[in-house]
Amino acid sequence: MHLTKEEERAYDGEFGWANQICMKILVRLGELFNATRLIRINSAHVSGVSYKTLGDAPLEFLETLANADVKVKAKATLNPQSIDKEYLCKRLPPDTCQKQRKIIEYFAKMGFNQSLTCTPYYLEKPTRTSHLAWSESSAVIYTNSVIGAWTNREGGPSALAAAIIGKTPNYGIHKTGNRQPKILVKVERRLQNEVEFGALGIFLGKILGDKIPIIQGLQNASEDNLKQLGAALASTGMVNMFYHKNIDIRASEIEKITVEAVDIKQTIENLNTTKTQKPDLVFIGCPHCSLNEIKQIAELIGNKKVKNGTELWVCTSRYTKEKAGKYVERIEQSGAHLITDTCAVVTWTDKLGIKTIMTNSAKTAHYAPPLNKAEIILTPLKNCLKTAFEG
Ligand code: F3S
């Protein structure tokens, strides 16, 4: 890999231990993937922020890095943590919350924006074709496919290193040639709701490997539907982008597959792990809700009140919550919890006594059984809300 004089000096440790280790992470990564140089990034987004998923091992490293007085050289945001400020932090063990706060303190010391969301693109929409180093798979696939910015799916450490150095190796999806579709997917039936879009993602992720698809038949897809599709696709597969509009390619040159209605139906059935329709928790907001979704939820709630014995969480970013004003009020007046900074997957729902989660997110349905020891009811938003209000 070619390094500039300045980069070489960082690599040799002239700018301190922290810069050196970050530069070494990036160079090693670049060498692994045959990058030729480092390129400047517009932003970095770091996952692996939740103490639940991180554990104790990386705490010391983060502390040492933060105490080395190193600062980010690109705009840098953080994925959700394991607690919020007002609700869950009061229900979880104090020492656990204390450790989580420490993690955020270390990141803040390095100059990270405490965005604590998996939808950093609502905070600031990346410009088309700008280079990023993001490590939240749902955000990576959304920004590549819907927004048109360019980022590989980084690991937590490489996104952190990219934020500190302000650069990333020019490998993978940063190269035009690697953004070419390899397979044409024809969706036979018009998808009806966000759960079906998510199910399509789960289904395709398992069969595509890392082949970038052109998905035909999504004419009715809203950006929120595409967010569900991408989040699920990146959960079961290694794909970091998809095309959802026709692009100029000779269809005869690439592999083709068809997704039938029965594939979607079976995927949804498989994601549902229980027959009960009585959840302990109804969870909306994976990935974190957009302003449009918050508005839709508030309108569907109207003047209703959450039924006793059920919890309703609506998860979003601080930024979206701030923008949502009167909709937030309406949601909270219903007895629902509008939660920022975290979600039902990256917090300890099992420690809160939650055994069954109802959600409209296929990504949550995929992860909550192994990570939260929870049974899943996967059903569209309207049903989720109906259950929360009527039981
Ligand atoms: Fe975001 Fe949590 Fe889902 S981090 S993508 S809401 S699992």
Side-chain angles (χ1 to χ4, degrees):
M1 239 176 110
H2 170 77
L3 297 184
T4 63
K5 288 262 171 320
E6 187 86 348
E7 289 163 358
E8 264 177 18
R9 289 172 66 196
Y11 189 91
D12 292 337
E14 270 191 54
F15 306 129
W17 166 87
N19 274 293
Q20 183 180 34
I21 194 140
C22 290
M23 186 57 94
K24 286 198 164 178
I25 290 173
L26 296 182
V27 169
R28 182 82 192 107
L29 179 69
E31 283 170 352
L32 269 176
F33 290 100
N34 297 321
T36 51
R37 63 191 174 94
L38 294 175
I39 49 174
R40 204 157 280 292
I41 52 166
N42 281 23
S43 65
H45 179 75
V46 171
S47 62
V49 172
S50 161
Y51 176 52
K52 180 190 166 199
T53 51
L54 212 50
D56 283 308
L59 282 185
E60 204 180 319
F61 172 71
L62 280 175
E63 184 179 10
T64 318
L65 204 57
N67 288 339
D69 259 350
V70 73
K71 291 277 182 276
V72 296
K73 291 196 193 64
K75 276 178 253 170
T77 44
L78 295 175
N79 226 31
Q81 59 172 341
S82 57
I83 53 171
D84 66 340
K85 266 192 183 163
E86 287 149 17
Y87 180 56
L88 300 175
C89 60
K90 293 186 189 128
R91 294 179 62 190
L92 289 163
D95 59 321
T96 303
C97 299
Q98 193 48 32
K99 284 195 176 160
Q100 179 63 74
R101 288 191 193 101
K102 278 273 163 220
I103 292 172
I104 303 306
E105 229 175 72
Y106 300 146
F107 278 116
K109 201 166 172 198
M110 290 184 262
F112 280 84
N113 177 338
Q114 293 176 48
S115 54
L116 301 170
T117 181
C118 47
T119 54
Y121 41 83
Y122 295 143
L123 194 68
E124 185 174 333
K125 189 172 171 179
T127 44
R128 279 181 69 76
T129 71
S130 58
H131 294 278
L132 322 172
W134 287 14
S135 65
E136 157 57 40
S137 65
S138 69
V140 166
I141 198 164
Y142 187 88
T143 200
N144 278 318
S145 316
V146 181
I147 296 174
W150 295 17
T151 175
N152 286 313
R153 188 191 303 192
E154 299 293 342
S158 64
L160 170 59
I164 301 290
I165 301 295
K167 294 177 181 176
T168 191
N170 67 335
Y171 75 103
I173 229 163
H174 290 292
K175 294 180 164 176
T176 315
N178 293 336
R179 299 178 68 89
Q180 294 308 308
K182 292 277 184 289
I183 185 163
L184 184 67
V185 177
K186 191 160 182 262
V187 181
E188 292 241 298
R189 189 176 65 89
R190 193 183 161 105
L191 301 176
Q192 303 297 311
N193 53 52
E194 75 280 17
V195 166
E196 293 196 351
F197 276 92
L200 173 65
I202 295 284
F203 177 78
L204 287 178
K206 290 179 182 165
I207 56 177
L208 291 183
D210 60 358
K211 287 182 212 151
I212 296 176
I214 308 177
I215 310 178
Q216 285 185 337
L218 302 182
Q219 293 79 359
N220 63 328
S222 66
E223 289 192 353
D224 290 325
N225 289 151
L226 295 174
K227 182 173 70 169
Q228 288 298 330
L229 164 61
L233 183 49
S235 300
T236 50
M238 285 314 297
V239 183
N240 291 326
M241 70 176 290
F242 61 89
Y243 292 94
H244 55 97
K245 292 181 183 149
N246 277 335
I247 64 162
D248 193 17
I249 185 150
R250 256 190 265 154
S252 59
E253 285 173 1
I254 60 171
E255 191 186 334
K256 298 182 197 65
I257 58 166
T258 301
V259 179
E260 296 174 7
V262 65
D263 299 320
I264 302 295
K265 186 168 171 276
Q266 263 170 15
T267 304
I268 294 172
E269 278 171 16
N270 293 342
L271 288 166
N272 275 280
T273 62
T274 175
K275 292 265 176 286
T276 177
Q277 289 299 308
K278 292 202 182 312
D280 303 310
L281 169 68
V282 177
F283 165 50
I284 312 294
C286 172
H288 276 175
C289 285
S290 64
L291 188 55
N292 187 47
E293 287 170 311
I294 294 284
K295 177 170 178 266
Q296 194 192 355
I297 293 164
E299 285 171 354
L300 285 167
I301 287 179
N303 295 320
K304 297 191 212 65
K305 299 277 179 226
V306 174
K307 205 174 137 50
N308 272 347
T310 309
E311 280 198 55
L312 171 58
W313 295 3
V314 178
C315 290
T316 189
S317 62
R318 295 177 187 191
Y319 171 79
T320 302
K321 182 176 177 183
E322 228 177 87
K323 293 256 158 210
K326 62 179 182 192
Y327 302 118
V328 173
E329 249 169 64
R330 198 183 298 173
I331 292 171
E332 290 183 333
Q333 275 166 5
S334 75
H337 298 281
L338 203 140
I339 293 176
T340 62
D341 304 352
T342 187
C343 77
V345 176
V346 300
T347 193
W348 294 268
T349 49
D350 47 338
K351 286 191 184 168
L352 302 173
I354 291 163
K355 294 193 174 67
T356 306
I357 300 176
M358 177 179 269
T359 183
N360 64 343
S361 160
K363 175 170 179 173
T364 292
H366 176 72
Y367 281 119
L371 296 181
N372 299 57
K373 302 182 199 81
E375 298 287 354
I376 286 294
I377 309 161
L378 177 64
T379 188
L381 176 66
K382 283 186 186 157
N383 281 345
C384 286
L385 294 181
K386 193 165 181 280
T387 304
F389 294 104
E390 294 171 16

